[in-house]
């Protein structure tokens, strides 16, 4: 098992590198960038730019007028909105954001820093990327953890009940309900819940924004707990609904496969009760895939399912941080969080494999190739 773990850890290095190469290339060739954002914010006025970039000199008014009326240089013609600005100013912008170097060199410098877990500083928030991620991570972990727990607590008993009543009206109706829930995007559920229960056209039972109230610091311990869960109801419900279908059907199919095996028939022939057969013999084998997949399910919900939910409910988590970084073309946040989340996802996949062994020691990964 130790050799398998070492091989998987070594495999993380080329996998992570390949993912970073692909995403770096895509982001770099995409339209827009931090320089374009600065120029768009200027709206053609070079005077306001001096406050944004330290050490940049706009130049004399006559030079600006000459640049505006004359032919554009190669540097200023690269960017929309650069007409009328001095070439020196555009060069300072590029140097400030590191675009005075070739793309390959920028990538190698970035990866060299990431190996030392130096993710740099945000272009537009004047804070280290690590500090921003650390500030937002507890919020996203909170959403992901409660969503995953809720999905498991509902889906596993429901899947077992469906397996015991396979083909019944209960099985048919619940299958229809969870498939409908799976087909509707979580963000659409979030909007519906807001309209129904957050002061839309009906009742105003739950808060519309944030994860805690504005006066949370003044509340007692019990009041803080109640306020926290009160804010969680709508976003967690919206995120969990879409996750019921896959987990419920996986649980049902796992139980159906085990129920029809010979050891179950033998246990029943010995006179064991159905409950003892189901939970004493079938449960451990049937839950192998479901329980071992918990880390992967948690990471999937944490880093993918929460994005739109955090935006809709104005929750300051990692999803909203990434969304704001994409809108603002804040490359240090985009690539820093991508590196961290990819590394975390690869490690969690390894942990998921190890959980198979913990649940069922008969599984031996040493006998198969990575």
């Amino acid at each position: 098992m130790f050799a398998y773990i070492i091989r998987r850890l070594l495999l993380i290095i080329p996998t992570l590198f390949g993912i970073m190469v692909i995403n770096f290339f895509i982001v770099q060739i995409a339209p827009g960038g931090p320089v374009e954002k600065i120029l768009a914010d200027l709206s053609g006025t070079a005077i306001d730019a001096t406050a944004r970039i330290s050490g940049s000199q706009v130049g004399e008014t006559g030079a600006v007028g000459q640049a505006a009326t004359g032919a554009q240089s190669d540097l200023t013609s690269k960017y929309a909105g650069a007409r009328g600005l001095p070439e020196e100013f555009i060069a300072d912008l590029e140097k400030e954001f590191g675009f005075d170097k070739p793309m390959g060199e920028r990538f190698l410098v970035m990866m060299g820093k990431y190996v030392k877990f130096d993710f740099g500083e945000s272009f537009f928030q004047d804070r280290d990327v690590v500090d921003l991620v650390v500030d937002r991570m507890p919020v996203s972990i909170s959403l992901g953890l409660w969503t995953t727990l809720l999905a498991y607590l509902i889906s596993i008993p429901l899947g077992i009940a469906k397996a015991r009543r396979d083909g019944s009206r209960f099985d048919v109706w619940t299958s229809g309900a969870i498939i409908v829930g799976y087909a509707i995007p979580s963000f659409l559920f979030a909007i519906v819940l807001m309209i129904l229960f957050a002061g839309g056209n009906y009742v105003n039972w739950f808060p519309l924004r944030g994860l805690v109230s504005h006066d949370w610091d003044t509340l007692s311990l019990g009041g803080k707990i109640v306020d926290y869960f009160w804010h969680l109801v709508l976003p967690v419900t919206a995120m969990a609904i879409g996750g019921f279908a896959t987990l419920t059907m996986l649980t049902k199919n796992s139980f159906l496969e085990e129920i029809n095996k010979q050891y179950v028939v033998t246990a029943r022939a010995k006179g064991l009760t159905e409950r003892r057969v189901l939970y004493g013999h079938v449960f451990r084998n049937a839950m192998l895939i479901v329980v071992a997949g918990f880390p992967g399910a948690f990471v999937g919900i944490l880093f993918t399912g929460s994005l739109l939910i955090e935006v809709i409910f104005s929750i300051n988590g990692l999803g909203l941080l990434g969304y704001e970084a994409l809108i603002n073309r804040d490359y240090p946040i985009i690539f820093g969080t991508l590196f961290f989340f990819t590394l975390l996802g690869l490690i969690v996949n390894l942990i998921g494999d190890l959980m198979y062994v913990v649940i069922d020691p008969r599984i031996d990964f040493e006998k198969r190739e990575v």
Side-chain angles (χ1 to χ4, degrees):
M1 193 63 189
F2 179 75
Y4 172 77
I5 296 175
I6 296 299
R7 291 199 304 268
R8 285 291 301 270
L9 290 176
L10 292 176
L11 187 61
I12 287 177
I13 298 175
T15 304
L16 180 61
F17 185 81
I19 293 174
M20 293 301 299
V21 168
I22 295 173
N23 284 275
F24 185 86
F25 178 75
I26 292 175
V27 171
Q28 294 294 326
I29 66 174
V35 175
E36 287 88 340
K37 183 182 185 302
I38 293 291
L39 297 176
D41 291 343
L42 292 176
S43 299
T45 303
I47 297 176
D48 295 336
T50 56
R52 303 296 299 270
I53 303 298
S54 59
S56 298
Q57 299 296 328
V58 178
E60 299 295 330
T61 305
V64 175
Q66 182 179 359
T69 57
Q72 282 188 293
S73 68
D74 293 337
L75 187 60
T76 57
S77 62
K78 288 169 55 179
Y79 304 105
R83 181 181 296 275
L85 296 176
E87 182 177 346
E88 293 79 8
F89 173 71
I90 305 300
D92 287 340
L93 280 177
E94 285 195 329
K95 184 176 181 180
E96 183 75 15
F97 293 118
F99 292 106
D100 56 331
K101 300 181 179 66
M103 183 187 302
E105 183 179 348
R106 295 202 307 270
F107 176 76
L108 293 177
V109 171
M110 181 186 74
M111 292 302 297
K113 293 181 179 179
Y114 286 2
V115 170
K116 299 180 290 186
F117 288 92
D118 178 10
F119 297 101
E121 185 175 294
S122 168
F123 283 160
F124 303 108
Q125 298 192 43
D126 295 326
R127 294 187 61 192
D128 288 340
V129 173
V130 173
D131 293 338
L132 290 170
V133 171
V134 170
D135 286 347
R136 303 289 187 97
M137 183 171 288
V139 176
S140 291
I141 289 178
S142 178
L143 287 175
L145 181 61
W146 290 115
T147 300
T148 307
L149 289 176
L150 180 63
Y152 268 75
L153 290 175
I154 295 177
S155 296
I156 291 178
L158 180 59
I160 296 173
K162 286 173 65 61
R164 296 180 62 182
R165 300 171 176 82
D166 184 40
S168 66
R169 297 177 64 181
F170 171 81
D171 182 35
V172 173
W173 281 103
T174 52
S175 295
I178 62 176
I179 289 174
V180 170
Y182 180 75
I184 301 177
S186 59
F187 73 88
L188 186 57
F189 270 118
I191 295 173
V192 172
L193 291 173
M194 290 173 61
I195 294 173
L196 294 177
F197 303 110
N201 296 329
Y202 297 91
V203 297
N204 188 16
W205 291 349
F206 299 100
L208 184 62
R209 300 167 58 89
L211 203 56
V212 293
S213 299
H214 64 279
D215 59 344
W216 192 78
D217 291 333
T218 64
L219 300 176
S220 63
L221 177 60
K224 290 181 178 180
I225 295 174
V226 172
D227 182 75
Y228 167 72
F229 283 104
W230 182 46
H231 283 76
L232 275 178
V233 171
L234 294 187
V236 168
T237 301
M239 291 173 61
I241 287 177
F244 288 153
T246 301
L247 188 56
T248 300
M249 299 308 296
L250 180 62
T251 304
K252 174 191 172 182
N253 293 333
S254 297
F255 265 80
L256 285 177
E257 182 180 356
E258 294 295 325
I259 286 174
N260 295 322
K261 290 186 176 180
Q262 185 61 42
Y263 75 90
V264 177
V265 177
T266 303
R268 287 171 175 167
K270 291 181 178 180
L272 297 180
T273 63
E274 187 66 19
R275 183 178 183 86
R276 178 69 181 276
V277 171
L278 190 63
Y279 293 99
H281 293 76
V282 176
F283 186 83
R284 179 175 180 177
N285 294 327
M287 287 293 98
L288 176 62
I289 298 177
V290 177
V291 176
F294 182 88
F298 171 69
V299 172
I301 292 175
L302 179 62
F303 298 131
T304 58
S306 64
L307 170 58
L308 292 177
I309 299 300
E310 290 182 9
V311 173
I312 291 173
F313 289 99
S314 299
I315 298 174
N316 289 322
L318 294 173
L320 187 59
L321 177 65
Y323 173 78
E324 293 171 344
L326 287 172
I327 295 298
N328 294 324
R329 300 298 193 270
D330 202 335
Y331 289 170
I333 294 179
I334 294 175
F335 295 123
T337 53
L338 174 66
F339 179 89
F340 176 76
F341 297 155
T342 303
L343 179 61
L344 180 61
L346 293 172
I347 293 175
V348 166
N349 284 334
L350 174 59
I351 294 174
D353 285 349
L354 298 180
M355 286 191 65
Y356 282 101
V357 180
V358 173
I359 297 173
D360 190 350
R362 295 173 298 177
I363 297 177
D364 187 4
F365 286 106
E366 292 287 356
K367 296 181 180 180
R368 71 179 182 89
E369 296 294 332
V370 178

